[in-house]
Amino acid sequence: MKIGFPTVILSLVAASAVYAAPTMPATDLEKRGWVMDQLRPLFEKAIKTLECGACVSALVAAKDLAYLNRNWVLDAVSGICTEFKVMPKDVCQGLVYSQGPVLLESVMQASLLSGDGKNICFQVLGACPAPGITSGTLSFPKARPSNIANITHSGQYADVLHLSDWHVDPEYVTGGEGDCNRPLCCRKYADSPLVPKRAASSWGDFKCDSPVKLGQDLLKHVPKVANVSFTILTGDVPPHDVWLQNKDTVVVVEEMAYSTMKSGLSSKVYPTVGNHEAGPTNLFPTEASGGNIQWLYDSLADDWSRWLPSDAVNSVKHYGAYTVSPAPGFRIISLNNNFCYTLNFYLYAKTKDYDPNGELKWLISQLQAAEDAGERVWIIGHVGPSQTDCLQNWSALYYQVVQRYSPHVIAEQFFGHTHYDEFALYYGPGAKSTQNAISTAWIGPSVTPYTDLNPGYRVYKVDTKSWNVFDSQTYVADLSQAATWDATGATPNWHLEYSARQAYGAYVPIADNAPLSAAWWHDVTKAFEKTPAAFTQYWNHRGKSANRLPACAPGSACAAEMICNLRAGKSSDACSKISFSLKKREDGVLEAKTMEVEAEDPSGLHSLYKRAEPQPWNKKLCGLGSQI
């Protein structure tokens, strides 16, 4: 696509002498205003039109003006954000000055006119076509064995607890505004109304993260329904106050949360690092990008030493990842896959670095060691490689790893991040079919009710020889009853929402001695296509029975997209697309809007700092802003 650059940008690219041209304002204050004047129309056009050339032009403008003064560019972007009245001033400033320096540094290192610009515009805004997979083919230490033995089961089962997206908010205020003008509500802000429109209960609210007591009560309920052998925690402990997060805030919240889990659970916990663990949020530097986040790895190593052996603790200090063996013949590999996360702006400085920090190389070494030792493996992480939030090149390489080592080594995969109750399927080379399905990625429901979900957790019934899942039981509490709990002095009504084996076995019968395999799950997705009641049931479970998701009728485009996503083990196969737009209100104020935002976020406050899906049925909940 041909890109038409504004004259001012071409002149800035030509030579540094342009900065001393007669049109350049004399004072620093005037220069700041001049920079904003140059960027405002470019940013507005890029976001309003989502035209690829406009997006790249805006990046080029920011890069070239940054050579004049980086702070002036950040000031301009913060001013534009505030001027458009998309978010309150404090949120604009917090996001721009915490996230902006890293993004700007990456943009300055990137070759914007040689493909990097289009890549960034696609991955962050969806403003350009997908650039295609260029990461190539992996080589492995050994060829896949030709004489793989059949997987056998013991018939003995253990209970494993899956917690995800804890997102505790120590600053949660009972009675606070539950429907505010910021990404995270139920807090005391300078402009919070004296009389809230919707007063938050003491147990939580649908637009807020978890009050401390909600997580504590959840942990009290677990022993009533399961004899937990161990727990997996698939990331994201701090709250969604992303415009405020820094090193000091996240370390305190994480220490408190892990202490709560230690006191509330008798079993060991095997955690992963989520995108919210960093402060500022999402930003995990690589060796190539520069930057240092050793403080986080050291802090997590200290926190996780409650449960991990010394060799795993040392691994966390180096990679933010580790491997551990809870039982003979069984290994858990905990990934730090923030190196595939699209809102980790460090990654855009070196877009051809397909394996930042060697995470995949390390994973392969661990899987090869497990294959050599005859071990079964679980892979746990935060951002699922199937999700559009994972860089397509990284996801494609990860898919090759799964194909190489499944199903004889990789027994199961577990992720979080979406807050929804979902899964994703992986296939061997060839068609996506029952016979070709080789691995399941379980995406755990969130503890936090943020946004418009019931709080929940999951218990797996796992065979202690094959380490395959034989049942998945999801528990929720009906947050719509929270006001009644407060009024009556009751506690949350945690209860079994559904058993996957019972709920979906009604449509796809399964033998008592068979696990919930990828092949079975593929047949379940076929039932979603053919049987309206099956898909309706899945859609209700996806939202944890809160009944607050937009409609998604069986047989509709929405249902087709959801089923496609369930079969998309790599992000480039997903049918959900990234979209983003601005429109003018009647008062002339530019407002971020998408179809999904109009359905689920009438204020429009969230979409300017998050990657949004174009459909109302697939809102992203976590990430840079009020999403995941």
Side-chain angles (χ1 to χ4, degrees):
M1 182 179 295
K2 185 177 180 180
I3 299 173
F5 294 101
T7 302
V8 65
I9 303 307
L10 291 175
S11 64
L12 288 170
V13 173
S16 60
V18 71
Y19 299 130
T23 56
M24 176 66 70
T27 68
D28 284 354
L29 184 60
E30 290 173 333
K31 288 177 182 177
R32 281 188 172 90
W34 181 83
V35 169
M36 181 181 286
D37 289 342
Q38 310 313 310
L39 291 179
R40 182 189 293 109
L42 297 174
F43 277 48
E44 179 177 340
K45 181 179 180 181
I47 298 173
K48 184 175 183 180
T49 68
L50 279 186
E51 198 273 323
C52 183
C55 178
V56 176
S57 293
L59 289 180
V60 172
K63 177 176 180 176
D64 293 326
L65 289 167
Y67 284 109
L68 176 63
N69 189 304
R70 298 186 190 195
N71 288 333
W72 292 351
V73 173
L74 297 177
D75 292 344
V77 175
S78 178
I80 292 169
C81 174
T82 303
E83 180 181 301
F84 287 177
K85 298 183 180 179
V86 178
M87 294 176 285
K89 184 176 180 179
D90 62 319
V91 179
C92 285
Q93 291 180 338
L95 284 173
V96 170
Y97 294 115
S98 63
Q99 303 285 327
V102 172
L103 179 57
L104 192 57
E105 176 63 28
S106 291
V107 166
M108 293 181 74
Q109 293 185 46
S111 300
L112 296 179
L113 300 183
S114 299
D116 287 352
K118 291 182 179 180
N119 192 354
I120 296 171
C121 287
F122 164 71
Q123 294 285 8
V124 179
L125 292 181
C128 291
I133 305 301
T134 57
S135 48
T137 303
L138 287 171
S139 60
F140 296 96
K142 297 180 181 180
R144 183 183 175 90
S146 57
N147 56 342
I148 297 174
N150 291 330
I151 298 168
T152 58
H153 312 288
S154 68
Q156 303 297 315
Y157 305 109
D159 291 346
V160 177
L161 174 64
H162 185 179
L163 300 174
S164 194
D165 296 88
W166 186 263
H167 288 300
V168 65
D169 186 4
E171 296 188 29
Y172 185 98
V173 176
T174 300
E177 178 58 73
D179 187 17
C180 68
N181 64 345
R182 283 174 175 76
L184 183 64
C185 299
C186 302
R187 284 184 163 199
K188 179 65 176 177
Y189 297 114
D191 58 353
S192 294
L194 294 177
V195 180
K197 291 179 292 183
R198 186 177 76 232
S201 80
S202 70
W203 293 105
D205 188 275
F206 288 110
K207 285 190 176 182
C208 308
D209 274 325
S210 309
V212 173
K213 64 185 290 187
L214 179 67
Q216 292 172 331
D217 194 73
L218 180 155
L219 297 178
K220 291 178 182 178
H221 182 260
V222 172
K224 300 177 182 178
V225 297
N227 181 21
V228 175
S229 295
F230 62 86
T231 298
I232 56 173
L233 171 65
T234 50
D236 272 8
V237 165
H240 286 86
D241 56 344
V242 293
W243 70 102
L244 299 172
Q245 293 287 21
N246 57 48
K247 170 184 175 180
D248 295 331
T249 60
V250 297
V251 166
V252 171
V253 173
E254 289 161 13
E255 164 61 26
M256 178 195 71
Y258 295 128
S259 294
T260 298
M261 295 176 203
K262 175 64 175 178
S263 62
L265 293 170
S266 59
S267 64
K268 288 187 176 180
V269 177
Y270 300 116
T272 60
V273 53
N275 58 294
H276 280 266
E277 264 66 85
T281 306
N282 306 331
L283 302 181
F284 288 78
T286 69
E287 292 179 5
S289 71
N292 191 314
I293 201 169
Q294 189 60 49
W295 62 266
L296 176 62
Y297 298 150
D298 289 342
S299 175
L300 291 177
D302 184 56
D303 289 335
W304 296 354
S305 65
R306 296 172 169 87
W307 306 294
L308 302 183
S310 59
D311 59 338
V313 170
N314 289 332
S315 181
V316 173
K317 291 181 180 180
H318 288 92
Y319 303 103
Y322 64 89
T323 179
V324 67
S325 181
F330 172 53
R331 185 160 298 277
I332 294 176
I333 299 174
S334 176
L335 289 178
N336 176 5
N337 58 1
N338 289 290
F339 299 115
C340 90
Y341 187 39
T342 55
L343 292 182
N344 180 4
F345 294 143
Y346 279 110
L347 302 178
Y348 296 113
K350 306 288 183 181
T351 59
K352 297 299 190 295
D353 184 3
Y354 301 126
D355 185 15
N357 277 23
E359 184 83 356
L360 291 173
K361 181 180 179 180
W362 176 80
L363 171 63
I364 291 170
S365 70
Q366 300 303 318
L367 289 170
Q368 186 59 59
E371 182 179 78
D372 293 343
E375 294 177 331
R376 299 285 283 163
V377 169
W378 283 6
I379 297 175
I380 64 175
H382 181 61
V383 178
S386 65
Q387 298 161 23
T388 56
D389 289 324
C390 183
L391 292 173
Q392 292 192 354
N393 278 309
W394 196 97
S395 177
L397 293 177
Y398 179 84
Y399 201 94
Q400 293 177 41
V401 175
V402 174
Q403 288 183 325
R404 165 63 181 83
Y405 292 100
S406 293
H408 64 295
V409 177
I410 300 174
E412 307 285 357
Q413 305 172 64
F414 303 90
F415 300 100
H417 188 63
T418 73
H419 294 197
Y420 296 124
D421 180 342
E422 300 175 300
F423 61 90
L425 298 176
Y426 289 72
Y427 301 85
K432 294 182 177 181
S433 64
T434 303
Q435 296 73 21
N436 228 10
I438 59 173
S439 186
T440 303
W442 304 80
I443 300 173
S446 63
V447 173
T448 182
Y450 186 95
T451 296
D452 285 333
L453 301 167
N454 280 325
Y457 69 91
R458 183 179 287 161
V459 175
Y460 299 106
K461 302 293 182 180
V462 181
D463 185 272
T464 56
K465 181 179 180 182
S466 66
W467 295 98
N468 286 127
V469 172
F470 274 67
D471 198 9
S472 167
Q473 298 173 346
T474 302
Y475 293 83
V476 299
D478 297 317
L479 195 62
S480 60
Q481 300 179 21
T484 301
W485 301 336
D486 280 344
T488 61
T491 57
N493 64 335
W494 300 103
H495 61 279
L496 177 66
E497 181 192 20
Y498 77 104
S499 153
R501 192 177 194 92
Q502 293 178 5
Y504 301 128
Y507 306 102
V508 182
I510 182 172
D512 291 342
N513 62 348
L516 305 187
S517 67
W520 180 77
W521 276 115
H522 180 83
D523 286 342
V524 170
T525 65
K526 290 166 64 176
F528 292 164
E529 291 175 318
K530 298 176 181 178
T531 309
F535 182 80
T536 298
Q537 192 170 34
Y538 166 72
W539 189 246
N540 187 50
H541 294 158
R542 183 175 182 266
K544 292 184 282 182
S545 296
N547 298 317
R548 298 175 69 90
L549 294 183
C552 187
S556 67
C558 164
E561 179 183 316
M562 293 297 101
I563 294 168
C564 168
N565 289 346
L566 296 176
R567 296 170 179 167
K570 53 186 171 184
S571 58
S572 57
D573 282 356
C575 288
S576 294
K577 305 302 178 186
I578 306 160
S579 111
F580 188 92
S581 65
L582 276 178
K583 75 175 187 179
K584 279 193 175 182
R585 302 193 313 228
E586 293 181 359
D587 59 6
V589 173
L590 285 170
E591 186 175 69
K593 286 287 182 181
T594 62
M595 289 176 62
E596 72 156 26
V597 172
E598 292 181 33
E600 292 192 305
D601 181 21
S603 70
L605 292 170
H606 296 164
S607 63
L608 196 65
Y609 52 96
K610 77 179 184 66
R611 301 169 64 252
E613 304 295 338
Q615 301 89 347
W617 53 75
N618 198 28
K619 181 177 180 181
K620 294 293 183 183
L621 300 178
C622 239
L624 178 58
S626 104
Q627 31 188 58
I628 5 194

